[in-house]
Amino acid sequence: MSAEAYLAEAGAALQKLNLDKIQQGARLLTDSVAGGGSIFAFGASHAFMVVEEMVYRAGGLMLVNPIYPHGMNLSVRPLTLTSQLERVVGLGRELLAQSPAKAGDVLILHSNSGRNPVTIDMALLARERGIKTIAITALSYVGKESSRHPCGKMLAELCDLVIDNAVPHGDAVVEVPGFAQKVAPVSTLTGCAIANALVAETVKLLVERGIEPPVFMSANITGGEAYNARLLEQNKGRIHYL
């Protein structure tokens, strides 16, 4: 059964995620938050879905600021434009330059292949500006595909920390008898799992340091809106999406 095969492959990919790398990432995030910094996140096309998973939702850190991939998320028409814009050299540099991200902040970059210029340019500028970077990417592409950026490097070669999303080359994981192309990708699933694991571990570390984690409570729970309003006000200088 193809559905059963997908669930088995998805579960296997989740089991392969590197907990040590996630803990290292959480320490970077915790150090930034404790030092008064903010967290930024970016991904193009479907990769932006992992960014959306982290932003403005119950149980999520308030300090995760999305850098919107103008023309590269799924609201643009035609959708094929997303694949072209993420290959424009220099665009990622401008997107980051126009954001409030600064030295001491952390930038999470999600790109499954890690080969397109938009995230590579962001990683390069972040390094220049003293912004720590965490890549969520598929190491299965390194050595099998070449960078589309003039620097010749993949995203995984440019970030301070790389978390492998445990996705096979090509992303899709299910073979259907009689059909040559594999179907059913897992990169969004493992990417969101990494994102939420980073949040969970960061909150733990903040609590251990005696810092109240700025985390959203569900607005559908009694008292949630008042709780959120208090923490949003306390942290408004580090929240840039309101």
Side-chain angles (χ1 to χ4, degrees), residues 54-113:
M54 301 185 76
V55 176
Y56 191 62
R57 67 168 306 164
L61 281 170
M62 292 179 174
L63 304 184
V64 180
N65 297 279
I67 298 177
Y68 282 95
H70 302 288
M72 287 173 281
N73 63 4
L74 298 183
S75 64
V76 72
R77 297 293 183 273
L79 280 176
T80 50
L81 184 62
T82 65
S83 297
Q84 300 308 311
L85 289 181
E86 68 179 350
R87 301 181 189 184
V88 175
V89 175
L91 180 55
R93 185 179 182 91
E94 289 304 316
L95 288 172
L96 181 58
Q98 297 300 319
S99 79
K102 63 186 187 309
D105 292 338
V106 177
L107 172 62
I108 299 170
L109 293 169
H110 177 225
S111 172
N112 189 52
S113 74

Side-chain angles (χ1 to χ4, degrees), residues 12-23:
L14 290 172
Q15 291 298 315
K16 293 176 184 175
L17 297 181
N18 189 317
L19 183 57
D20 182 61
K21 293 289 187 180
I22 291 170
Q23 290 171 329

Side-chain angles (χ1 to χ4, degrees), residues 86-90 92 115-122 148-150:
E86 68 179 350
R87 301 181 189 184
V88 175
V89 175
R115 68 186 305 219
N116 289 311
V118 66
T119 50
I120 292 172
D121 272 323
M122 283 195 176
R148 290 190 171 116
H149 192 278

Side-chain angles (χ1 to χ4, degrees), residues 6 9 13 46 111-115 137-146 148 154 164-175 179-188 190:
Y6 178 76
E9 291 288 346
H46 287 90
S111 172
N112 189 52
S113 74
R115 68 186 305 219
T137 189
L139 293 182
S140 60
Y141 283 75
V142 178
K144 291 183 179 177
E145 302 294 344
S146 59
R148 290 190 171 116
M154 303 284 274
D164 184 12
N165 65 8
V167 170
H169 183 247
D171 201 350
V173 294
V174 175
E175 294 183 355
F179 187 64
Q181 169 66 28
K182 285 186 178 181
V183 300
V186 291
S187 60
T188 303
T190 59

